mmCIF file of all heavy atoms in Angstrom:
data_model
loop_
_atom_site.group_PDB
_atom_site.id
_atom_site.type_symbol
_atom_site.label_atom_id
_atom_site.label_comp_id
_atom_site.label_asym_id
_atom_site.label_seq_id
_atom_site.Cartn_x
_atom_site.Cartn_y
_atom_site.Cartn_z
ATOM 1 N N GLY A 1 50.430 97.957 142.048
ATOM 2 C CA GLY A 1 50.363 96.885 143.126
ATOM 3 C C GLY A 1 50.116 97.431 144.523
ATOM 4 O O GLY A 1 50.249 96.757 145.518
ATOM 5 N N HIS A 2 49.590 98.687 144.575
ATOM 6 C CA HIS A 2 49.253 99.319 145.978
ATOM 7 C C HIS A 2 47.824 98.974 146.265
ATOM 8 O O HIS A 2 46.946 98.982 145.388
ATOM 9 C CB HIS A 2 49.410 100.816 145.897
ATOM 10 C CG HIS A 2 50.837 101.213 145.573
ATOM 11 N ND1 HIS A 2 51.868 100.988 146.419
ATOM 12 C CD2 HIS A 2 51.329 101.821 144.465
ATOM 13 C CE1 HIS A 2 53.017 101.438 145.850
ATOM 14 N NE2 HIS A 2 52.721 101.947 144.683
ATOM 15 N N VAL A 3 47.519 98.844 147.579
ATOM 16 C CA VAL A 3 46.170 98.660 147.988
ATOM 17 C C VAL A 3 45.298 99.882 147.710
ATOM 18 O O VAL A 3 45.760 101.000 148.014
ATOM 19 C CB VAL A 3 46.161 98.326 149.522
ATOM 20 C CG1 VAL A 3 44.726 98.391 150.093
ATOM 21 C CG2 VAL A 3 46.721 96.950 149.765
ATOM 22 N N ALA A 4 44.126 99.681 147.163
ATOM 23 C CA ALA A 4 43.148 100.716 147.030
ATOM 24 C C ALA A 4 41.864 100.146 147.666
ATOM 25 O O ALA A 4 41.206 99.252 147.083
ATOM 26 C CB ALA A 4 42.939 101.096 145.571
ATOM 27 N N ASP A 5 41.565 100.566 148.882
ATOM 28 C CA ASP A 5 40.459 100.043 149.593
ATOM 29 C C ASP A 5 39.283 100.992 149.504
ATOM 30 O O ASP A 5 39.230 102.033 150.184
ATOM 31 C CB ASP A 5 40.842 99.817 151.085
ATOM 32 C CG ASP A 5 39.763 99.058 151.855
ATOM 33 O OD1 ASP A 5 38.554 99.088 151.450
ATOM 34 O OD2 ASP A 5 40.121 98.437 152.878
ATOM 35 N N PRO A 6 38.267 100.610 148.766
ATOM 36 C CA PRO A 6 37.120 101.504 148.590
ATOM 37 C C PRO A 6 36.100 101.472 149.780
ATOM 38 O O PRO A 6 35.085 102.197 149.660
ATOM 39 C CB PRO A 6 36.440 101.022 147.294
ATOM 40 C CG PRO A 6 36.768 99.517 147.269
ATOM 41 C CD PRO A 6 38.127 99.412 147.936
ATOM 42 N N ALA A 7 36.430 100.764 150.815
ATOM 43 C CA ALA A 7 35.388 100.602 151.893
ATOM 44 C C ALA A 7 35.935 101.094 153.233
ATOM 45 O O ALA A 7 35.121 101.483 154.054
ATOM 46 C CB ALA A 7 34.846 99.154 151.955
ATOM 47 N N LEU A 8 37.170 100.941 153.492
ATOM 48 C CA LEU A 8 37.728 101.338 154.861
ATOM 49 C C LEU A 8 38.432 102.675 154.725
ATOM 50 O O LEU A 8 39.309 102.894 153.891
ATOM 51 C CB LEU A 8 38.677 100.366 155.360
ATOM 52 C CG LEU A 8 38.172 99.046 155.922
ATOM 53 C CD1 LEU A 8 39.284 98.143 156.370
ATOM 54 C CD2 LEU A 8 37.185 99.304 157.026
ATOM 55 N N PRO A 9 38.108 103.609 155.597
ATOM 56 C CA PRO A 9 38.774 104.961 155.641
ATOM 57 C C PRO A 9 40.248 104.689 155.877
ATOM 58 O O PRO A 9 40.654 103.852 156.648
ATOM 59 C CB PRO A 9 38.053 105.718 156.752
ATOM 60 C CG PRO A 9 36.767 105.041 156.885
ATOM 61 C CD PRO A 9 36.951 103.559 156.575
ATOM 62 N N ASP A 10 41.029 105.585 155.278
ATOM 63 C CA ASP A 10 42.506 105.552 155.447
ATOM 64 C C ASP A 10 42.878 105.582 156.943
ATOM 65 O O ASP A 10 42.222 106.180 157.764
ATOM 66 C CB ASP A 10 43.173 106.808 154.854
ATOM 67 C CG ASP A 10 43.132 106.731 153.315
ATOM 68 O OD1 ASP A 10 42.735 105.643 152.766
ATOM 69 O OD2 ASP A 10 43.451 107.681 152.727
ATOM 70 N N GLY A 11 43.896 104.664 157.270
ATOM 71 C CA GLY A 11 44.344 104.637 158.615
ATOM 72 C C GLY A 11 43.730 103.555 159.524
ATOM 73 O O GLY A 11 44.257 103.263 160.588
ATOM 74 N N MET A 12 42.654 103.016 159.076
ATOM 75 C CA MET A 12 41.980 101.989 159.863
ATOM 76 C C MET A 12 42.641 100.614 159.792
ATOM 77 O O MET A 12 42.882 99.911 160.702
ATOM 78 C CB MET A 12 40.471 101.827 159.467
ATOM 79 C CG MET A 12 39.604 103.001 159.964
ATOM 80 S SD MET A 12 37.846 102.622 159.771
ATOM 81 C CE MET A 12 37.628 101.500 161.035
ATOM 82 N N ALA A 13 43.004 100.237 158.569
ATOM 83 C CA ALA A 13 43.585 98.856 158.281
ATOM 84 C C ALA A 13 45.054 98.948 158.614
ATOM 85 O O ALA A 13 45.796 99.868 158.311
ATOM 86 C CB ALA A 13 43.341 98.465 156.835
ATOM 87 N N HIS A 14 45.535 97.890 159.284
ATOM 88 C CA HIS A 14 46.918 97.684 159.547
ATOM 89 C C HIS A 14 47.634 96.694 158.677
ATOM 90 O O HIS A 14 48.827 96.578 158.606
ATOM 91 C CB HIS A 14 47.118 97.295 161.059
ATOM 92 C CG HIS A 14 46.893 98.471 161.966
ATOM 93 N ND1 HIS A 14 47.648 98.591 163.108
ATOM 94 C CD2 HIS A 14 46.001 99.446 161.975
ATOM 95 C CE1 HIS A 14 47.205 99.639 163.767
ATOM 96 N NE2 HIS A 14 46.170 100.203 163.083
ATOM 97 N N GLY A 15 46.813 95.993 157.858
ATOM 98 C CA GLY A 15 47.379 95.085 156.943
ATOM 99 C C GLY A 15 46.251 94.208 156.212
ATOM 100 O O GLY A 15 45.130 94.165 156.698
ATOM 101 N N TYR A 16 46.621 93.656 155.058
ATOM 102 C CA TYR A 16 45.643 92.876 154.227
ATOM 103 C C TYR A 16 46.305 91.601 153.846
ATOM 104 O O TYR A 16 47.492 91.562 153.568
ATOM 105 C CB TYR A 16 45.343 93.688 152.967
ATOM 106 C CG TYR A 16 44.663 95.011 153.141
ATOM 107 C CD1 TYR A 16 45.375 96.154 153.447
ATOM 108 C CD2 TYR A 16 43.225 95.091 153.020
ATOM 109 C CE1 TYR A 16 44.769 97.410 153.612
ATOM 110 C CE2 TYR A 16 42.630 96.329 153.132
ATOM 111 C CZ TYR A 16 43.367 97.468 153.463
ATOM 112 O OH TYR A 16 42.757 98.635 153.638
ATOM 113 N N LEU A 17 45.529 90.543 153.906
ATOM 114 C CA LEU A 17 46.061 89.218 153.484
ATOM 115 C C LEU A 17 44.928 88.684 152.571
ATOM 116 O O LEU A 17 43.791 88.366 152.959
ATOM 117 C CB LEU A 17 46.234 88.289 154.655
ATOM 118 C CG LEU A 17 46.768 86.829 154.349
ATOM 119 C CD1 LEU A 17 48.126 86.973 153.665
ATOM 120 C CD2 LEU A 17 46.794 86.034 155.601
ATOM 121 N N GLY A 18 45.252 88.529 151.269
ATOM 122 C CA GLY A 18 44.233 88.096 150.369
ATOM 123 C C GLY A 18 44.749 87.490 149.038
ATOM 124 O O GLY A 18 46.003 87.473 148.818
ATOM 125 N N ILE A 19 43.810 87.114 148.238
ATOM 126 C CA ILE A 19 44.155 86.443 146.970
ATOM 127 C C ILE A 19 43.649 87.368 145.848
ATOM 128 O O ILE A 19 42.383 87.606 145.734
ATOM 129 C CB ILE A 19 43.348 85.097 146.888
ATOM 130 C CG1 ILE A 19 43.756 84.211 148.012
ATOM 131 C CG2 ILE A 19 43.661 84.438 145.534
ATOM 132 C CD1 ILE A 19 42.877 82.978 148.139
ATOM 133 N N PRO A 20 44.550 87.787 144.968
ATOM 134 C CA PRO A 20 44.062 88.598 143.813
ATOM 135 C C PRO A 20 43.357 87.667 142.886
ATOM 136 O O PRO A 20 43.778 86.491 142.671
ATOM 137 C CB PRO A 20 45.333 89.121 143.213
ATOM 138 C CG PRO A 20 46.498 88.433 143.823
ATOM 139 C CD PRO A 20 45.925 87.684 145.021
ATOM 140 N N LEU A 21 42.203 88.075 142.224
ATOM 141 C CA LEU A 21 41.493 87.290 141.342
ATOM 142 C C LEU A 21 41.385 87.953 139.946
ATOM 143 O O LEU A 21 41.213 89.136 139.856
ATOM 144 C CB LEU A 21 40.105 87.020 141.902
ATOM 145 C CG LEU A 21 40.083 86.369 143.284
ATOM 146 C CD1 LEU A 21 38.680 86.403 143.874
ATOM 147 C CD2 LEU A 21 40.595 84.890 143.213
ATOM 148 N N THR A 22 41.290 87.182 138.918
ATOM 149 C CA THR A 22 41.150 87.668 137.542
ATOM 150 C C THR A 22 39.794 88.202 137.372
ATOM 151 O O THR A 22 38.815 87.671 138.037
ATOM 152 C CB THR A 22 41.487 86.616 136.472
ATOM 153 O OG1 THR A 22 40.519 85.535 136.571
ATOM 154 C CG2 THR A 22 42.855 86.055 136.547
ATOM 155 N N ALA A 23 39.599 89.135 136.526
ATOM 156 C CA ALA A 23 38.273 89.702 136.255
ATOM 157 C C ALA A 23 37.342 88.626 135.666
ATOM 158 O O ALA A 23 36.226 88.523 136.081
ATOM 159 C CB ALA A 23 38.401 90.878 135.275
ATOM 160 N N ALA A 24 37.848 87.800 134.776
ATOM 161 C CA ALA A 24 36.939 86.765 134.176
ATOM 162 C C ALA A 24 36.452 85.790 135.246
ATOM 163 O O ALA A 24 35.269 85.462 135.243
ATOM 164 C CB ALA A 24 37.707 86.035 133.126
ATOM 165 N N PHE A 25 37.320 85.317 136.114
ATOM 166 C CA PHE A 25 36.947 84.409 137.196
ATOM 167 C C PHE A 25 35.950 85.074 138.125
ATOM 168 O O PHE A 25 34.950 84.525 138.494
ATOM 169 C CB PHE A 25 38.148 83.838 137.913
ATOM 170 C CG PHE A 25 37.851 82.956 139.099
ATOM 171 C CD1 PHE A 25 37.415 81.655 138.832
ATOM 172 C CD2 PHE A 25 37.984 83.368 140.385
ATOM 173 C CE1 PHE A 25 37.046 80.815 139.856
ATOM 174 C CE2 PHE A 25 37.669 82.536 141.408
ATOM 175 C CZ PHE A 25 37.206 81.227 141.195
ATOM 176 N N ARG A 26 36.337 86.330 138.570
ATOM 177 C CA ARG A 26 35.420 87.024 139.473
ATOM 178 C C ARG A 26 34.023 87.236 138.946
ATOM 179 O O ARG A 26 33.026 86.957 139.571
ATOM 180 C CB ARG A 26 36.043 88.413 139.762
ATOM 181 C CG ARG A 26 35.147 89.308 140.606
ATOM 182 C CD ARG A 26 35.781 90.622 140.952
ATOM 183 N NE ARG A 26 36.350 91.303 139.881
ATOM 184 C CZ ARG A 26 35.723 92.279 139.117
ATOM 185 N NH1 ARG A 26 34.489 92.583 139.359
ATOM 186 N NH2 ARG A 26 36.340 92.889 138.098
ATOM 187 N N HIS A 27 33.927 87.709 137.717
ATOM 188 C CA HIS A 27 32.638 87.887 137.028
ATOM 189 C C HIS A 27 31.852 86.582 136.999
ATOM 190 O O HIS A 27 30.653 86.507 137.286
ATOM 191 C CB HIS A 27 32.761 88.499 135.564
ATOM 192 C CG HIS A 27 33.209 89.862 135.613
ATOM 193 N ND1 HIS A 27 34.196 90.329 134.733
ATOM 194 C CD2 HIS A 27 32.901 90.915 136.415
ATOM 195 C CE1 HIS A 27 34.352 91.637 134.975
ATOM 196 N NE2 HIS A 27 33.595 91.996 135.967
ATOM 197 N N ALA A 28 32.459 85.518 136.578
ATOM 198 C CA ALA A 28 31.786 84.193 136.466
ATOM 199 C C ALA A 28 31.217 83.769 137.759
ATOM 200 O O ALA A 28 30.070 83.276 137.896
ATOM 201 C CB ALA A 28 32.695 83.156 135.823
ATOM 202 N N GLN A 29 32.047 83.864 138.859
ATOM 203 C CA GLN A 29 31.620 83.414 140.175
ATOM 204 C C GLN A 29 30.512 84.359 140.685
ATOM 205 O O GLN A 29 29.594 83.844 141.297
ATOM 206 C CB GLN A 29 32.763 83.438 141.149
ATOM 207 C CG GLN A 29 33.804 82.280 140.871
ATOM 208 C CD GLN A 29 33.177 80.940 141.106
ATOM 209 O OE1 GLN A 29 32.548 80.653 142.100
ATOM 210 N NE2 GLN A 29 33.268 80.074 140.046
ATOM 211 N N GLN A 30 30.647 85.648 140.477
ATOM 212 C CA GLN A 30 29.611 86.565 141.036
ATOM 213 C C GLN A 30 28.282 86.212 140.298
ATOM 214 O O GLN A 30 27.244 86.242 140.970
ATOM 215 C CB GLN A 30 30.060 87.997 140.764
ATOM 216 C CG GLN A 30 31.131 88.368 141.722
ATOM 217 C CD GLN A 30 31.747 89.727 141.347
ATOM 218 O OE1 GLN A 30 31.832 90.127 140.174
ATOM 219 N NE2 GLN A 30 32.207 90.488 142.319
ATOM 220 N N HIS A 31 28.356 85.989 139.075
ATOM 221 C CA HIS A 31 27.072 85.679 138.242
ATOM 222 C C HIS A 31 26.583 84.323 138.788
ATOM 223 O O HIS A 31 25.353 84.240 139.010
ATOM 224 C CB HIS A 31 27.377 85.599 136.820
ATOM 225 C CG HIS A 31 26.211 85.222 135.992
ATOM 226 N ND1 HIS A 31 25.166 86.064 135.714
ATOM 227 C CD2 HIS A 31 25.850 84.088 135.369
ATOM 228 C CE1 HIS A 31 24.262 85.455 134.991
ATOM 229 N NE2 HIS A 31 24.616 84.189 134.742
ATOM 230 N N HIS A 32 27.399 83.353 138.876
ATOM 231 C CA HIS A 32 26.914 82.011 139.326
ATOM 232 C C HIS A 32 26.350 82.037 140.771
ATOM 233 O O HIS A 32 25.307 81.424 141.017
ATOM 234 C CB HIS A 32 28.135 81.059 139.270
ATOM 235 C CG HIS A 32 27.875 79.712 139.802
ATOM 236 N ND1 HIS A 32 27.095 78.789 139.208
ATOM 237 C CD2 HIS A 32 28.297 79.130 140.953
ATOM 238 C CE1 HIS A 32 27.054 77.715 139.939
ATOM 239 N NE2 HIS A 32 27.749 77.853 141.008
ATOM 240 N N ARG A 33 27.000 82.811 141.626
ATOM 241 C CA ARG A 33 26.524 82.858 143.040
ATOM 242 C C ARG A 33 25.499 83.869 143.316
ATOM 243 O O ARG A 33 24.808 83.777 144.311
ATOM 244 C CB ARG A 33 27.750 83.127 143.947
ATOM 245 C CG ARG A 33 28.831 82.046 143.754
ATOM 246 C CD ARG A 33 29.943 82.286 144.743
ATOM 247 N NE ARG A 33 29.433 82.130 146.081
ATOM 248 C CZ ARG A 33 29.821 82.822 147.124
ATOM 249 N NH1 ARG A 33 30.696 83.758 147.080
ATOM 250 N NH2 ARG A 33 29.263 82.623 148.362
ATOM 251 N N GLY A 34 25.323 84.871 142.433
ATOM 252 C CA GLY A 34 24.312 85.912 142.656
ATOM 253 C C GLY A 34 24.702 86.854 143.777
ATOM 254 O O GLY A 34 23.874 87.364 144.538
ATOM 255 N N THR A 35 26.044 87.072 143.954
ATOM 256 C CA THR A 35 26.480 87.961 145.008
ATOM 257 C C THR A 35 27.776 88.585 144.586
ATOM 258 O O THR A 35 28.422 88.134 143.689
ATOM 259 C CB THR A 35 26.692 87.094 146.360
ATOM 260 O OG1 THR A 35 27.011 88.039 147.407
ATOM 261 C CG2 THR A 35 27.746 86.104 146.186
ATOM 262 N N ASP A 36 28.222 89.684 145.249
ATOM 263 C CA ASP A 36 29.481 90.353 144.920
ATOM 264 C C ASP A 36 30.690 89.626 145.393
ATOM 265 O O ASP A 36 31.783 89.796 144.872
ATOM 266 C CB ASP A 36 29.381 91.794 145.402
ATOM 267 C CG ASP A 36 28.468 92.677 144.666
ATOM 268 O OD1 ASP A 36 28.439 92.641 143.417
ATOM 269 O OD2 ASP A 36 27.620 93.298 145.311
ATOM 270 N N ALA A 37 30.525 88.870 146.503
ATOM 271 C CA ALA A 37 31.689 88.195 147.087
ATOM 272 C C ALA A 37 31.952 86.924 146.245
ATOM 273 O O ALA A 37 31.053 86.296 145.717
ATOM 274 C CB ALA A 37 31.392 87.756 148.534
ATOM 275 N N VAL A 38 33.231 86.639 146.075
ATOM 276 C CA VAL A 38 33.666 85.495 145.258
ATOM 277 C C VAL A 38 33.905 84.278 146.067
ATOM 278 O O VAL A 38 33.377 83.220 145.748
ATOM 279 C CB VAL A 38 34.888 85.835 144.339
ATOM 280 C CG1 VAL A 38 35.385 84.650 143.622
ATOM 281 C CG2 VAL A 38 34.595 86.995 143.483
ATOM 282 N N CYS A 39 34.708 84.364 147.077
ATOM 283 C CA CYS A 39 35.102 83.256 147.915
ATOM 284 C C CYS A 39 34.403 83.105 149.192
ATOM 285 O O CYS A 39 34.205 81.981 149.704
ATOM 286 C CB CYS A 39 36.663 83.278 148.128
ATOM 287 S SG CYS A 39 37.678 83.277 146.713
ATOM 288 N N THR A 40 33.942 84.183 149.768
ATOM 289 C CA THR A 40 33.378 84.200 151.109
ATOM 290 C C THR A 40 31.856 84.561 151.044
ATOM 291 O O THR A 40 31.366 84.840 149.986
ATOM 292 C CB THR A 40 34.178 85.121 152.014
ATOM 293 O OG1 THR A 40 33.756 84.960 153.308
ATOM 294 C CG2 THR A 40 34.122 86.602 151.596
ATOM 295 N N SER A 41 31.334 84.614 152.229
ATOM 296 C CA SER A 41 29.946 85.117 152.250
ATOM 297 C C SER A 41 29.896 86.703 152.178
ATOM 298 O O SER A 41 30.871 87.278 152.469
ATOM 299 C CB SER A 41 29.268 84.618 153.553
ATOM 300 O OG SER A 41 29.978 85.073 154.689
ATOM 301 N N ASP A 42 28.795 87.149 151.669
ATOM 302 C CA ASP A 42 28.615 88.607 151.540
ATOM 303 C C ASP A 42 27.456 89.084 152.371
ATOM 304 O O ASP A 42 26.370 88.574 152.321
ATOM 305 C CB ASP A 42 28.273 88.840 150.022
ATOM 306 C CG ASP A 42 28.127 90.359 149.657
ATOM 307 O OD1 ASP A 42 27.996 91.157 150.579
ATOM 308 O OD2 ASP A 42 28.098 90.616 148.478
ATOM 309 N N PRO A 43 27.731 89.990 153.354
ATOM 310 C CA PRO A 43 26.671 90.392 154.203
ATOM 311 C C PRO A 43 25.421 90.985 153.488
ATOM 312 O O PRO A 43 24.312 90.930 154.030
ATOM 313 C CB PRO A 43 27.315 91.579 155.068
ATOM 314 C CG PRO A 43 28.757 91.252 154.954
ATOM 315 C CD PRO A 43 29.023 90.670 153.658
ATOM 316 N N SER A 44 25.588 91.479 152.232
ATOM 317 C CA SER A 44 24.410 91.966 151.511
ATOM 318 C C SER A 44 23.556 90.798 150.942
ATOM 319 O O SER A 44 22.550 91.049 150.473
ATOM 320 C CB SER A 44 24.930 92.922 150.392
ATOM 321 O OG SER A 44 25.603 92.151 149.421
ATOM 322 N N ASN A 45 24.141 89.568 150.881
ATOM 323 C CA ASN A 45 23.423 88.433 150.450
ATOM 324 C C ASN A 45 23.758 87.215 151.292
ATOM 325 O O ASN A 45 24.479 86.324 150.863
ATOM 326 C CB ASN A 45 23.703 88.113 149.021
ATOM 327 C CG ASN A 45 22.829 86.992 148.424
ATOM 328 O OD1 ASN A 45 22.124 86.387 149.161
ATOM 329 N ND2 ASN A 45 23.068 86.666 147.172
#
């Protein structure tokens, strides 16, 4: 249950507020939307 942030270097973030998502739901939404983001916009798309 610990945060593992693969994008922000340690010490930058002061807190996280988010929704954990199941792998099945995430995969379906990513496929449907054609982007890595599930709920929000993705700067790469």
Side-chain angles (χ1 to χ4, degrees):
H2 301 292
V3 168
D5 189 336
L8 283 180
D10 289 349
M12 287 191 74
H14 286 217
Y16 297 83
L17 181 61
I19 303 169
L21 300 169
T22 63
F25 178 74
R26 173 175 53 90
H27 289 138
Q29 288 297 308
Q30 289 169 328
H31 177 74
H32 174 70
R33 299 184 66 215
T35 186
D36 291 309
V38 175
C39 299
T40 189
S41 55
D42 183 345
S44 68
N45 182 0

